[in-house]
Amino acid sequence: MGMQHTPLTMSRIISRGATIQPNSEIVTATEDGVRRQTYMETVQRSHQLANALCEAGIEIGDRVGTFMWNSSRHVEAYHATANMGVVLHTVNIRLSPVDLEYVINHADDKLMIVDADLLPILEQLQERIPWVERYVVAAEPGFEDWETTLPNTIDYEEFISGMSDEFVSPHIDENEALGLCYTSGTTGNPKGVEYEHRSQFLHTLAICMTDAMSLSATDTLCGIVPMFHAMGWGLPWAGLMLGCKQVLPHRFMSPDRLVDLIAQEQVTLSAGVPTIWQGIKAFLEQNPNGCDLSHLSRLTCGGSAPPESLVEWYWDELGVEMIQGWGMTETSPLGTLARRTSKLWHMDAAPSQLTQNSCKAGLLMPGLELDVFDEDFNRLPHDGETVGEILIRGPWICSEYYRDPQPSKFHKDWLITGDVGSIDPEEYLIIADRSKDLVKSGGEWISSVDLENHIVAMEGVRQACVVAQPHPKWDERPVALVVLDDSASVTVEEIASHCALKFAKWQLPDDVLFVDQIPLTSTGKLDKKNVRSQLEQDGYVLPDLR
Amino acid sequence: MGMQHTPLTMSRIISRGATIQPNSEIVTATEDGVRRQTYMETVQRSHQLANALCEAGIEIGDRVGTFMWNSSRHVEAYHATANMGVVLHTVNIRLSPVDLEYVINHADDKLMIVDADLLPILEQLQERIPWVERYVVAAEPGFEDWETTLPNTIDYEEFISGMSDEFVSPHIDENEALGLCYTSGTTGNPKGVEYEHRSQFLHTLAICMTDAMSLSATDTLCGIVPMFHAMGWGLPWAGLMLGCKQVLPHRFMSPDRLVDLIAQEQVTLSAGVPTIWQGIKAFLEQNPNGCDLSHLSRLTCGGSAPPESLVEWYWDELGVEMIQGWGMTETSPLGTLARRTSKLWHMDAAPSQLTQNSCKAGLLMPGLELDVFDEDFNRLPHDGETVGEILIRGPWICSEYYRDPQPSKFHKDWLITGDVGSIDPEEYLIIADRSKDLVKSGGEWISSVDLENHIVAMEGVRQACVVAQPHPKWDERPVALVVLDDSASVTVEEIASHCALKFAKWQLPDDVLFVDQIPLTSTGKLDKKNVRSQLEQDGYVLPDLR
């Protein structure tokens, strides 16, 4: 042995930010402004929280749940549990009551930290989650006088008050569990993904690479992606390691509040799903003056593919690069990433080429392996045309689900992602669709995502959602649900002829339905399962079958 | 187990560059120009080399030596051996014959790849290194007709010719040896540092962070630091992972050739020791026109601290950031790194502050631990004043020397670096000196490095070297050796009064000796051991003892 075999535990990196930039801030949005604390304070408070959790009987390997928005206290929960060797179960606050009951009981959460404004959601469940021994309530301004029917509660500040602000991490193995996050299951129960110290350590280094998000200690980072969604895409860990200023929106997720926060705090990099950026774009178009977004340089966009029109708008109007990332809860989440300029020859490429780069799912992160396969698990050519199942493996990819291994979701040591796509000759991954959302028509596949992104680029269209409907002859046919801008008057015919510019006739939607809104999943994606079941309930029939 | 425990072996990352940028180039300087090959060709040729080495009987764990300049074939040797699980021993071509004999025999190199122009050096030793079974000779243009007295030789191209350009890596453990590099010992025999797959995997991710060198696939990288010196600071691995264009100077290390290479190939980032940058500065001052260095943005500087005047000159004259890195063979090598702008508050700081940042050894890389200690191994305050022994530990730090553990160089699991320094309140490491080069005068320490950097900032001074000389009363006193520019006429008095601007009277050199040159070590540092023994041989006596 020539080199030290130091375990890759998170405790080795998550206090570095506070050491090198102790006065850097973590800013949390409040009802009428923000509150601030420094990294030094954050780490001291995290140590207090760790000591309080120890005193409350929480031990190595126990699960502590959070039911929280993005806030400094949520960051403290990340830090404290990682240092303790305790598993942080970040519960998705938008799950249905049935799923909430399932995940809290399945994870066996011993203690939960809950934002006071979210207490009513848990109160509805309280008889059904009897194994949670204690609730620690985090009260933002305006909620100091919280009351609840939940048993055995204590205020967060009271819980940590008087505790030592020093904490020495116990020795833990790098393969011990760090975090637990459930996927929002579209079929069956939610499935738990258990992150480990080693996997997140490596993921944290990887996302701080120049060729990833270029995250730096000099950035001001606004993680809009919820911290209960795949560990906030790893951004809270990266922030703690680098010490970059973090700006957290808590429950104030409306476009006007987000824009104000980004402008006021001089955010340089933000991260969220496309619907967030669509909303902010719409707000800025209606309010073109009055907010200075000149510090903003990059938006990381994940969860689903951003339409080209959106990528183009941010670059042309704001000079902001939209960085598309692809991944999922099972991949920690970063699998691939697309920058405008990823290769030497891009330095001289036309702007339209660079925009197209950002519209692909991106290049594979170092250390991972990914490929597209046919149904017999033969690798497919990288021609940008041949579409197959995307499989991925590597040191931050899930190997089995928590207490529910689900071997059918794996092929040998590969994760079957459930996404289908192609890889082009430049080695960019291009996602065609979720395999369950593909429209299978006459033996061919139609990408619902491609149709949506094309429709949403039309003037006056705010949102589009394409789903399959059963057809006796073709098996399935696509139907588009469209939300228009308030004053817009786009017709079905206009949408059809717009689609005909790009798609073959058999790929065009059989019907266009104008709707007021499209339901979203708990992670902000189009909820196509819900859309399909709603159409079924309404007795929807395709035009040529009426 | 929730995550895949994929072994962190180099084979998982070193072909990524060729996959995503197959046409990116590796450029090697030749007698009258350059030769080029693509990453795709490089990886195919590396696979051919791996197959040839297998056929030559090289097995997992065997040592293969290289005796080479920086070139595409040296990169191929890195790639092939890493993929095979073979240990690459990069022999320092500038070692003395005695040390060369020692390291080749101590490492037990079974086969050596040798640049044809370097054959005469090994021929002198050939009876004393009888266990090397085979020599593969790499012939650059002009050396195709090499001849040698070495036994059992074959031309590199003939060796790999006809071999398959596909190679499947065997399964190896992440803690298997990857590389072997000997420190240029100042006392006793050279000591071997054995790098492992895991340690270099982590080091490679770390140096590609934005807050490290910001290395990107869009960079053009010119590694001037020899690839036999701490694995070329890890840059060949990073290049292979990212696919960035690499420009390698081979034996053409004169300032005019280097400047020409950097300009012609549009290099963006280069790396080398301060003496290289001093030489290039002198050349550019004499030849201010005629070379376009506008693509160059960063110079990574390691091995010893760059003088402030040098850092300032590159920034003011060329707009080039000098990034100081600190480390050593035992630290893989990157331990700390100093960017002009490392913290949020630097964004508004004065240029002089930013230059001073680059003159410090830098901030600790994530994943490592470092501190300054007194002689009883108590941690010292981070006040920027208190100087102590620097100890470091972490996943890419040496745990023992190869076949010669040397426990006295370690304290518990810390490496005793042999450097002394302080840590300032901003958490920057500041190197005072090598512990053996400090001048101990009247119970106080005088930093030879600080004096040298101050003297070398004077107009007309090219180089300065401060060493201790024995003194009966004060124990030791400093003496400065100074090399002047050709036409300069600086006096002893001028140097003394210049030093008095910054240093206390007791810290000033007792004597200044003008010399034609100062001997350098095999890694390009001032060879103070040699300077001291030369002064002793010459019967040098301090002025007040004459």
Side-chain angles (χ1 to χ4, degrees):
Chain A
M1 161 169 147
M3 287 282 137
Q4 301 184 11
H5 295 170
T6 315
L8 307 180
T9 48
M10 293 304 277
S11 63
R12 298 187 182 272
I13 51 175
I14 56 175
S15 295
R16 179 178 174 275
T19 304
I20 65 171
Q21 292 216 87
N23 298 320
S24 180
E25 291 176 323
I26 297 186
V27 179
T28 305
T30 60
E31 188 68 47
D32 49 11
V34 296
R35 59 178 182 78
R36 300 168 187 281
Q37 65 188 44
T38 66
Y39 266 75
M40 178 59 80
E41 288 164 347
T42 302
V43 166
Q44 286 171 344
R45 286 171 53 85
S46 300
H47 288 337
Q48 289 184 298
L49 176 59
N51 285 315
L53 289 169
C54 284
E55 282 207 11
I58 303 297
E59 294 174 357
I60 293 181
D62 282 348
R63 267 78 56 213
V64 163
T66 51
F67 200 71
M68 303 175 85
W69 301 98
N70 291 7
S71 71
S72 61
R73 290 194 185 92
H74 209 167
V75 173
E76 291 162 13
Y78 269 61
H79 191 288
T81 51
N83 249 351
M84 294 170 73
V86 160
V87 186
L88 185 74
H89 173 204
T90 52
V91 180
N92 184 336
I93 63 175
R94 300 205 190 92
L95 290 181
S96 67
V98 171
D99 282 349
L100 280 177
E101 175 188 345
Y102 176 82
V103 302
I104 293 168
N105 289 332
H106 187 264
D108 200 6
D109 293 330
K110 207 167 166 184
L111 178 148
M112 291 189 76
I113 307 175
V114 186
D115 265 330
D117 63 294
L118 300 173
L119 284 167
I121 302 176
L122 290 188
E123 285 165 3
Q124 293 173 21
L125 298 175
Q126 69 184 74
E127 278 88 41
R128 290 180 277 151
I129 49 172
W131 293 280
V132 180
E133 294 173 10
R134 195 159 198 192
Y135 295 90
V136 178
V137 180
E140 293 295 325
F143 287 84
E144 296 85 349
D145 302 323
W146 57 270
E147 289 183 359
T148 182
T149 58
L150 289 173
N152 205 7
T153 54
I154 183 170
D155 189 89
Y156 186 99
E157 295 304 318
E158 191 185 334
F159 187 60
I160 70 169
S161 164
M163 294 290 161
S164 164
D165 61 9
E166 293 187 4
F167 182 82
V168 177
S169 294
H171 175 81
I172 53 170
D173 188 89
E174 66 184 33
N175 294 324
E176 290 293 331
L178 170 79
L180 185 58
C181 194
Y182 284 78
T183 62
S184 44
T186 46
T187 52
N189 287 320
K191 298 185 291 295
V193 174
E194 195 178 50
Y195 302 114
E196 297 175 359
H197 280 262
R198 171 181 162 117
S199 62
Q200 279 291 327
F201 186 107
L202 292 165
H203 185 264
T204 305
L205 288 187
I207 68 173
C208 293
M209 287 175 54
T210 314
D211 284 354
M213 302 180 200
S214 311
L215 197 59
S216 158
T218 60
D219 270 314
T220 295
L221 168 66
C222 179
I224 296 174
V225 51
M227 289 171 66
F228 53 74
H229 183 199
M231 308 233 90
W233 298 351
L235 296 172
W237 300 124
L240 286 167
M241 182 175 86
L242 299 176
C244 58
K245 178 176 168 183
Q246 288 192 66
V247 180
L248 299 166
H250 202 263
R251 66 190 184 280
F252 306 101
M253 300 284 279
S254 62
D256 60 322
R257 279 301 303 265
L258 290 175
V259 166
D260 188 55
L261 193 64
I262 290 169
Q264 291 295 324
E265 298 299 328
Q266 307 189 341
V267 167
T268 60
L269 170 63
S270 187
V273 292
T275 42
I276 294 283
W277 309 126
Q278 291 278 22
I280 287 180
K281 169 174 175 272
F283 173 81
L284 290 172
E285 283 174 327
Q286 282 160 25
N287 304 273
N289 301 314
C291 33
D292 172 13
L293 298 181
S294 61
H295 286 83
L296 191 65
S297 69
R298 288 153 291 154
L299 297 179
T300 300
C301 186
S304 54
E308 185 170 334
S309 54
L310 188 68
V311 174
E312 210 155 30
W313 186 87
Y314 274 98
W315 183 256
D316 291 346
E317 299 298 321
L318 300 180
V320 168
E321 177 186 5
M322 190 161 276
I323 305 173
Q324 187 180 166
W326 170 84
M328 49 193 63
T329 305
E330 291 86 339
T331 63
S332 291
L334 194 59
T336 64
L337 203 82
R339 301 295 303 256
R340 280 181 77 79
T341 310
S342 294
K343 302 187 175 198
L344 194 50
W345 73 266
H346 294 159
M347 305 299 274
D348 303 317
S352 61
Q353 169 69 54
L354 303 185
T355 297
Q356 278 167 36
N357 291 343
S358 302
C359 294
K360 300 174 185 174
L363 297 168
L364 186 62
M365 293 302 294
L368 302 180
E369 277 178 276
L370 174 145
D371 217 337
V372 286
F373 292 83
D374 69 14
E375 52 200 7
D376 298 321
F377 294 110
N378 300 305
R379 289 178 194 249
L380 295 170
H382 293 192
D383 57 10
E385 303 285 333
T386 313
V387 168
E389 277 275 3
I390 301 167
L391 274 62
I392 190 168
R393 63 181 175 185
W396 56 87
I397 308 300
C398 176
S399 62
E400 61 178 29
Y401 291 96
Y402 182 64
R403 294 180 175 173
D404 179 16
Q406 302 251 358
S408 70
K409 304 289 185 188
F410 300 86
H411 171 69
K412 296 180 180 168
D413 59 346
W414 295 86
L415 170 73
I416 302 171
T417 65
D419 277 350
V420 292
S422 59
I423 297 175
D424 74 10
E426 289 272 345
E427 285 297 314
Y428 280 89
L429 177 68
I430 299 163
I431 304 295
D433 219 330
R434 288 297 292 168
S435 54
K436 60 183 177 298
D437 292 333
L438 273 179
V439 184
K440 291 155 198 95
S441 175
E444 298 284 345
W445 284 354
I446 301 170
S447 164
S448 63
V449 171
D450 285 353
L451 279 169
E452 287 157 8
N453 282 342
H454 189 70
I455 295 170
V456 92
M458 291 181 75
E459 188 86 20
V461 173
R462 184 179 297 166
Q463 234 174 358
C465 172
V466 172
V467 293
Q469 287 298 295
H471 191 285
K473 179 173 177 191
W474 303 111
D475 195 10
E476 291 179 349
R477 290 297 303 154
V479 168
L481 283 75
V482 173
V483 182
L484 297 181
D485 288 338
D486 290 343
S487 56
S489 62
V490 180
T491 65
V492 172
E493 291 68 31
E494 283 166 345
I495 290 174
S497 58
H498 175 72
C499 289
L501 294 174
K502 179 170 176 186
F503 295 92
K505 201 169 170 215
W506 62 270
Q507 293 174 315
L508 300 178
D510 276 15
D511 202 0
V512 176
L513 310 174
F514 292 105
V515 295
D516 291 336
Q517 60 176 15
I518 293 164
L520 299 180
T521 69
S522 58
T523 55
K525 303 179 196 178
L526 299 171
D527 188 351
K528 298 192 181 178
K529 181 187 167 197
N530 199 333
V531 170
R532 285 188 293 257
S533 71
Q534 194 61 49
L535 288 173
E536 193 181 344
Q537 273 179 38
D538 297 348
Y540 177 80
V541 175
L542 285 164
D544 71 332
L545 305 178
R546 286 171 199 164
Chain B
M1 163 169 144
M3 287 283 135
Q4 300 183 13
H5 295 170
T6 315
L8 307 180
T9 49
M10 293 305 277
S11 62
R12 297 187 182 271
I13 51 176
I14 56 176
S15 295
R16 180 178 175 274
T19 304
I20 65 172
Q21 293 216 87
N23 297 321
S24 181
E25 291 176 323
I26 298 187
V27 179
T28 305
T30 60
E31 188 68 45
D32 48 12
V34 296
R35 58 179 182 76
R36 300 168 187 282
Q37 66 188 45
T38 67
Y39 266 75
M40 179 57 80
E41 288 163 348
T42 303
V43 165
Q44 286 170 344
R45 287 170 53 85
S46 302
H47 288 337
Q48 289 184 296
L49 176 60
N51 285 315
L53 289 169
C54 285
E55 282 207 9
I58 303 296
E59 295 176 354
I60 293 181
D62 282 347
R63 267 79 55 212
V64 162
T66 51
F67 200 70
M68 302 176 86
W69 302 99
N70 291 9
S71 71
S72 61
R73 291 195 184 92
H74 209 166
V75 173
E76 290 162 14
Y78 269 61
H79 190 288
T81 51
N83 249 351
M84 295 171 73
V86 160
V87 185
L88 184 74
H89 173 203
T90 52
V91 181
N92 184 335
I93 62 175
R94 299 206 190 92
L95 290 182
S96 67
V98 171
D99 282 350
L100 280 178
E101 176 189 344
Y102 177 82
V103 303
I104 292 169
N105 289 331
H106 187 264
D108 201 5
D109 293 330
K110 207 167 168 185
L111 179 149
M112 290 189 77
I113 307 174
V114 186
D115 265 329
D117 63 294
L118 300 172
L119 284 168
I121 302 175
L122 290 188
E123 286 165 2
Q124 292 173 23
L125 298 174
Q126 70 184 75
E127 278 86 40
R128 289 180 277 152
I129 49 172
W131 291 280
V132 180
E133 295 172 9
R134 195 159 199 192
Y135 295 90
V136 178
V137 179
E140 293 295 325
F143 286 84
E144 294 87 349
D145 302 324
W146 58 269
E147 289 182 359
T148 182
T149 59
L150 289 174
N152 205 6
T153 53
I154 184 170
D155 189 88
Y156 185 98
E157 295 304 316
E158 191 185 334
F159 187 61
I160 70 170
S161 164
M163 295 289 160
S164 163
D165 62 9
E166 293 187 5
F167 182 83
V168 177
S169 295
H171 176 80
I172 52 170
D173 189 271
E174 66 184 32
N175 294 323
E176 290 293 331
L178 170 78
L180 185 58
C181 194
Y182 284 79
T183 62
S184 44
T186 46
T187 53
N189 287 319
K191 298 186 292 292
V193 175
E194 196 179 50
Y195 303 114
E196 298 175 357
H197 280 262
R198 169 179 162 119
S199 63
Q200 279 291 327
F201 185 106
L202 293 165
H203 185 265
T204 305
L205 289 187
I207 69 174
C208 293
M209 288 175 52
T210 314
D211 285 354
M213 303 180 201
S214 310
L215 197 59
S216 158
T218 59
D219 270 313
T220 295
L221 168 65
C222 178
I224 297 175
V225 52
M227 288 169 66
F228 53 74
H229 184 199
M231 308 232 91
W233 299 350
L235 297 171
W237 301 124
L240 286 167
M241 181 176 87
L242 299 176
C244 59
K245 178 176 168 184
Q246 288 192 64
V247 180
L248 299 166
H250 202 263
R251 67 189 185 278
F252 306 101
M253 299 284 277
S254 63
D256 60 321
R257 280 300 305 266
L258 290 174
V259 166
D260 189 56
L261 194 65
I262 290 169
Q264 291 295 326
E265 297 299 329
Q266 306 190 341
V267 167
T268 59
L269 170 62
S270 186
V273 293
T275 43
I276 293 285
W277 309 126
Q278 291 279 21
I280 287 181
K281 168 175 175 273
F283 173 81
L284 290 171
E285 283 173 326
Q286 281 159 25
N287 304 273
N289 302 315
C291 33
D292 172 13
L293 297 180
S294 61
H295 287 82
L296 190 65
S297 70
R298 283 114 63 217
L299 297 179
T300 301
C301 187
S304 54
E308 185 170 335
S309 54
L310 188 68
V311 174
E312 209 155 30
W313 187 87
Y314 274 97
W315 184 256
D316 291 346
E317 299 298 321
L318 300 180
V320 168
E321 177 186 6
M322 189 161 276
I323 306 173
Q324 186 180 167
W326 169 84
M328 50 192 64
T329 305
E330 291 87 339
T331 63
S332 292
L334 194 59
T336 64
L337 204 83
R339 301 295 304 255
R340 280 182 77 79
T341 310
S342 296
K343 302 187 174 198
L344 194 50
W345 73 265
H346 294 159
M347 305 299 272
D348 303 317
S352 61
Q353 168 70 52
L354 303 185
T355 297
Q356 279 167 35
N357 291 343
S358 301
C359 295
K360 301 174 186 173
L363 296 169
L364 186 62
M365 293 302 295
L368 303 180
E369 277 179 276
L370 174 146
D371 217 336
V372 286
F373 292 83
D374 69 13
E375 53 200 5
D376 299 321
F377 295 109
N378 300 307
R379 289 177 194 251
L380 295 170
H382 293 191
D383 56 11
E385 304 285 334
T386 312
V387 168
E389 277 274 4
I390 301 167
L391 274 62
I392 191 168
R393 62 181 176 185
W396 56 86
I397 308 300
C398 176
S399 62
E400 62 179 27
Y401 291 96
Y402 182 63
R403 294 181 176 173
D404 179 17
Q406 302 253 0
S408 69
K409 303 289 184 187
F410 300 87
H411 171 69
K412 296 179 179 166
D413 59 346
W414 295 86
L415 170 72
I416 302 170
T417 65
D419 277 350
V420 292
S422 59
I423 296 175
D424 74 9
E426 288 272 347
E427 286 295 314
Y428 280 89
L429 177 67
I430 299 164
I431 305 294
D433 220 330
R434 288 297 293 168
S435 55
K436 61 184 176 299
D437 292 334
L438 271 180
V439 183
K440 291 151 196 103
S441 175
E444 297 286 345
W445 284 354
I446 301 171
S447 163
S448 62
V449 171
D450 285 354
L451 278 169
E452 287 157 6
N453 282 341
H454 190 67
I455 295 170
V456 92
M458 289 181 76
E459 187 88 19
V461 172
R462 182 180 298 165
Q463 232 174 0
C465 172
V466 172
V467 293
Q469 286 297 293
H471 191 285
K473 180 174 176 189
W474 303 112
D475 196 10
E476 290 179 350
R477 291 296 303 154
V479 168
L481 283 73
V482 172
V483 181
L484 297 182
D485 287 338
D486 291 340
S487 56
S489 62
V490 181
T491 65
V492 171
E493 291 68 33
E494 283 167 347
I495 291 173
S497 58
H498 175 71
C499 288
L501 293 173
K502 178 169 175 187
F503 295 93
K505 203 169 167 212
W506 63 271
Q507 293 174 316
L508 300 179
D510 276 14
D511 203 358
V512 175
L513 309 175
F514 292 107
V515 294
D516 290 336
Q517 59 176 13
I518 292 164
L520 299 180
T521 69
S522 57
T523 55
K525 303 180 195 178
L526 299 172
D527 188 350
K528 298 194 182 179
K529 182 189 169 198
N530 198 336
V531 169
R532 283 188 295 258
S533 71
Q534 195 60 48
L535 288 173
E536 193 180 344
Q537 273 178 37
D538 297 347
Y540 177 80
V541 176
L542 285 163
D544 70 332
L545 304 177
R546 288 171 196 164

